[in-house]
Amino acid sequence: MKKKTKTICSIVAGLVIAAFIFYVGEEVSSSSMLRTVLQLGTIYALVAVSMNLLNGFTGLFSLGQAGFMAIGAYTYAVLTIPVDKKANVYYLYGIADPLANVELPLWLGLIAAGLLAALLAAIVGAPVLRLKSDYFAIATLGFSEIVRILVGSSPFNRITNGSLGLNNIPGNPSYYTPFIVAAICIAIIVLLLTSSYGRAFKAIREDEIAAEAMGIKLSTHKQMSFIISSFFTGISGALLAMYLGAITSTTFPIMLTYNILLIIVIGGMGSVTGSIIAAFLVTAAKEWWLRFLDQPMMIGDFQVPLLRTGFRMVVFSIILMLVVLFWRRGIMGQKEFSWDGLINFFKRIKNRLWGNSTKKGGALNG
Amino acid sequence: MLEIKDLHVHYGGIHALRGISLNIEDGKIISLVGANGAGKSTTLKAIMSLTQKTCGSVIYDGKDISNEKTKNIVKSGVILTPEGRRVFPDLTVDENIALGAYTRKDKVEIAKDRNWVFELFPRLEERKWQAAGTLSGGEQQMLAVARSLMGRPKLLMMDEPSLGLAPLIVKNIFSIIKEINKAGVNVLLIEQNAKAALEISDYGYVMETGVITISGTGKELLGNDQVRKAYLGE
């Protein structure tokens, strides 16, 4: 394929996606599953890409995403809930005085959410990044759980509203916000990954000793990757708060981190486009296509066994296991989407389906 | 151009280097030979500040770099090709080569060096888009050398470049080392394959359990009875 054709294809594809999002926004009713999946999928795509920056590109296996999302979500909520609604929200404990009259514009709230998550990442990162692989994962997992428990605990009642959580979080009516914010953030991450910093991250993932011998400072780069990833995770947490309109500490369980992990494993560790595709696939499957597994089903007089609330997650875990066992590279592996790749993929399918007649061609295209 | 004075390194309780002094003159190939565990690799790591020095000094171009950070040492032109090749397996050959120039910012010069490196190793240019992990051992060693050259070294330190390679390829690697030296790069070579290393070296040092026992020109060492017995298997 020529470069010009590729550019045209990419522009057309971008326009089609934008038109589709616009169509769903204008024409499809707001309670439709398609709308939910698109919005939630976009938010998960952003977390997945920023988790991939850390786990897939820099090779630091972090499990702290839910914690950073919680920080982002709470920061956004606390700073943007309209002043006149604050008394209502904090009816039980009252609000801390310095926050009582704070009402930031939404975009400033989003940035603040990212910044606070990044700041905490910088503080936590200094000691935690010295740990290797599994220990790093355990430490970040612990951090995530500490955050979740702290935001729901009584000493913070006057900020986080304790176990009651926060509601009346603004931004909910705007359908387009997640798409715009996520698109900007992912574009920034992609720019970073294609720069020489991105290459240094990958070098650290591949071989720390060689990377160091190239003059790449390990601690600085790891710290940088951790902070940037947390910044965007914080923003996606804010988007989630915006989308849900109400949050409590239970909105950010460890399960959330696992869901995102599932997305990046299915999409391919080390592929941005893989993460985005998988974010929509997994969200659609979880929220929409697999919903029937949670409801009891009767076929005549026979009740299908096992189908009850929560069974969806069992099926989900099995999918994760199967992917890890048999399809470790995920949808994209470490590659990115390309038109040539797509054409090759269709050729391979064609050859497999009509293998006998075009066997020679298949071997050549192989 | 590089002088090491009385270098000591401890690994926990082990005294790995016990006062190493050596001198690298401009335009030369210097080799450091010795058995396993003699402290050859440790010497290189200590020069690069990749390991903590107990005491001693490293003077490079008249400047004391014993307490410099690795990044700055690489920037100033002392570059290490680590033992066992250590290319980045999932990155392409081209990306590996680009990473060699990580500390440099001069894009035009980097592009020039890239062309030079591909001239030196035409094999690598053919395989530009291939993942480095899919190259053969010899090609990976070439890539490791090419990557180091991208840092525009004044002193290239190579740790066991012949390790695990077929004899024919070893010969090829050594002739490339000579070529690199002719292009004006000083080479500090560490080898267990003492004969091959000393044959191309202007000067050599023999190390034993953390100290330098014998030194001399390459020819002298090849003729030295003690060296022949211990390292050349005669």
Side-chain angles (χ1 to χ4, degrees):
Chain A
M1 227 176 181
K2 277 181 195 158
K3 203 170 177 192
K4 207 175 163 191
T5 353
K6 275 184 204 167
T7 322
I8 293 170
C9 280
S10 305
I11 291 171
V12 170
L15 286 177
V16 167
I17 292 170
F20 179 67
I21 290 170
F22 186 74
Y23 168 78
V24 173
E26 298 302 315
E27 301 295 329
V28 177
S29 87
S30 61
S31 59
S32 123
M33 260 310 175
L34 186 60
R35 235 176 122 115
T36 311
V37 166
L38 273 184
Q39 292 192 75
L40 216 52
T42 308
I43 295 167
Y44 281 144
L46 177 56
V47 208
V49 171
S50 45
M51 186 176 186
N52 216 338
L53 169 69
L54 196 58
N55 296 30
F57 286 94
T58 321
L60 294 167
F61 199 81
S62 154
L63 292 175
Q65 272 61 32
F68 289 112
M69 283 180 86
I71 292 165
Y74 268 90
T75 310
Y76 174 78
V78 168
L79 295 177
T80 56
I81 291 174
V83 171
D84 53 330
K85 287 188 183 146
K86 275 191 174 167
N88 230 333
V89 175
Y90 289 90
Y91 71 94
L92 195 58
Y93 306 113
I95 186 168
D97 302 326
L99 293 171
N101 289 312
V102 177
E103 186 187 337
L104 295 183
L106 302 193
W107 62 273
L108 213 55
L110 277 174
I111 292 173
L115 286 179
L116 195 70
L119 180 72
L120 266 148
I123 295 166
V124 174
V128 164
L129 282 166
R130 289 163 182 271
L131 301 171
K132 294 255 182 249
S133 59
D134 322 10
Y135 299 100
F136 177 70
I138 294 167
T140 45
L141 189 67
F143 166 77
S144 162
E145 198 59 355
I146 290 169
V147 168
R148 189 179 66 82
I149 288 166
L150 279 183
V151 293
S153 69
S154 49
F156 292 99
N157 273 349
R158 280 159 64 81
I159 301 170
T160 63
N161 212 14
S163 54
L164 295 176
L166 296 168
N167 51 45
N168 276 312
I169 301 168
N172 190 18
S174 175
Y175 161 82
Y176 294 103
T177 325
F179 300 109
I180 297 164
V181 175
I184 294 171
C185 292
I186 290 174
I188 294 172
I189 296 175
V190 169
L191 280 180
L192 177 80
L193 285 174
T194 48
S195 74
S196 71
Y197 285 116
R199 220 182 279 127
F201 291 158
K202 286 186 226 167
I204 292 172
R205 170 190 73 193
E206 307 269 298
D207 193 323
E208 292 197 355
I209 295 172
E212 213 176 357
M214 300 294 103
I216 296 167
K217 198 154 182 256
L218 295 183
S219 53
T220 321
H221 282 81
K222 284 182 178 177
Q223 181 82 320
M224 198 161 81
S225 172
F226 192 49
I227 290 174
I228 294 170
S229 167
S230 304
F231 177 79
F232 290 113
T233 309
I235 288 187
S236 64
L239 286 179
L240 189 66
M242 207 185 249
Y243 168 76
L244 294 172
I247 51 171
T248 70
S249 62
T250 51
T251 317
F252 305 96
I254 301 259
M255 215 37 227
L256 182 62
T257 304
Y258 290 145
N259 272 335
I260 300 153
L261 185 62
L262 177 72
I263 289 171
I264 65 171
V265 170
I266 288 182
M269 297 278 255
S271 167
V272 172
T273 34
S275 293
I276 297 171
I277 295 168
F280 288 104
L281 276 183
V282 168
T283 313
K286 203 178 91 183
E287 302 291 330
W288 191 5
W289 302 333
L290 293 182
R291 273 281 172 204
F292 72 94
L293 291 172
D294 272 7
Q295 276 132 24
M297 193 199 283
M298 305 291 285
I299 298 175
D301 279 341
F302 174 72
Q303 181 174 4
V304 182
L306 294 174
L307 294 185
R308 62 180 71 104
T309 309
F311 186 65
R312 185 164 54 110
M313 295 324 289
V314 176
V315 173
F316 229 55
S317 312
I318 293 172
I319 294 176
L320 180 57
M321 275 192 263
L322 290 178
V323 167
V324 171
L325 278 175
F326 298 111
W327 206 29
R328 197 169 296 178
R329 294 179 59 254
I331 298 173
M332 302 295 293
Q334 286 184 352
K335 296 195 180 72
E336 295 298 344
F337 173 83
S338 70
W339 293 105
D340 290 336
L342 191 72
I343 291 169
N344 277 337
F345 175 72
F346 283 124
K347 269 187 190 157
R348 250 180 294 146
I349 288 186
K350 201 178 117 193
N351 287 336
R352 198 169 284 180
L353 289 179
W354 294 282
N356 291 332
S357 55
T358 52
K359 211 161 198 181
K360 267 187 182 164
L364 282 174
N365 291 325
Chain B
M1 65 158 334
L2 186 101
E3 201 184 348
I4 300 173
K5 280 187 201 154
D6 196 31
L7 182 66
H8 287 261
V9 169
H10 284 83
Y11 285 135
I14 298 161
H15 201 163
L17 292 188
R18 309 156 185 251
I20 299 284
S21 298
L22 56 84
N23 190 16
I24 297 166
E25 283 171 54
D26 239 340
K28 299 278 165 65
I29 299 180
I30 310 288
S31 60
L32 193 56
V33 296
N36 265 339
K40 296 170 298 189
S41 298
T42 307
T43 310
L44 294 198
K45 281 186 196 150
I47 296 173
M48 295 297 293
S49 290
L50 286 170
T51 180
Q52 195 84 38
K53 300 182 220 18
T54 317
C55 65
S57 61
V58 181
I59 292 155
Y60 168 70
D61 270 349
K63 220 180 91 194
D64 190 349
I65 57 163
S66 356
N67 296 319
E68 272 297 344
K69 284 180 184 143
T70 308
K71 188 181 167 184
N72 298 333
I73 295 175
V74 172
K75 247 187 192 165
S76 68
V78 180
I79 290 171
L80 171 71
T81 310
E83 185 180 349
R85 307 187 274 271
R86 292 194 175 273
V87 294
F88 304 112
D90 284 336
L91 303 186
T92 64
V93 169
D94 220 9
E95 283 178 300
N96 266 276
I97 285 177
L99 271 162
Y102 184 73
T103 54
R104 296 171 56 188
K105 301 281 172 258
D106 44 344
K107 280 196 179 138
V108 183
E109 292 295 302
I110 291 174
K112 257 190 218 164
D113 282 358
R114 185 167 163 270
N115 290 336
W116 172 56
V117 159
F118 279 146
E119 247 168 60
L120 212 54
F121 304 101
R123 226 5 192 317
L124 295 179
E125 185 162 29
E126 287 164 28
R127 291 160 191 256
K128 234 174 7 186
W129 300 109
Q130 211 168 308
T134 62
L135 300 178
S136 74
E139 288 163 347
Q140 286 190 18
Q141 185 62 56
M142 287 174 194
L143 178 57
V145 175
R147 191 177 61 180
S148 306
L149 289 176
M150 288 302 291
R152 195 168 269 194
K154 290 186 192 122
L155 173 63
L156 179 61
M157 306 195 292
M158 302 172 101
D159 197 344
E160 303 270 8
S162 75
L163 192 75
L165 298 181
L168 201 65
I169 297 164
V170 171
K171 226 174 161 184
N172 193 354
I173 293 275
F174 277 96
S175 75
I176 285 165
I177 294 174
K178 263 161 112 180
E179 207 171 312
I180 292 168
N181 180 244
K182 268 188 206 141
V185 179
N186 301 290
V187 177
L188 174 57
L189 190 60
I190 282 194
E191 267 294 346
Q192 289 196 47
N193 187 348
K195 188 162 178 276
L198 290 173
E199 266 168 6
I200 63 160
S201 302
D202 299 298
Y203 204 80
Y205 294 88
V206 179
M207 267 186 101
E208 246 168 80
T209 56
V211 286
I212 287 173
T213 49
I214 314 167
S215 66
T217 62
K219 270 186 193 149
E220 273 170 28
L221 290 180
L222 281 170
N224 185 306
D225 281 344
Q226 221 181 321
V227 176
R228 291 170 77 102
K229 254 187 206 151
Y231 303 107
L232 305 179
E234 283 174 25

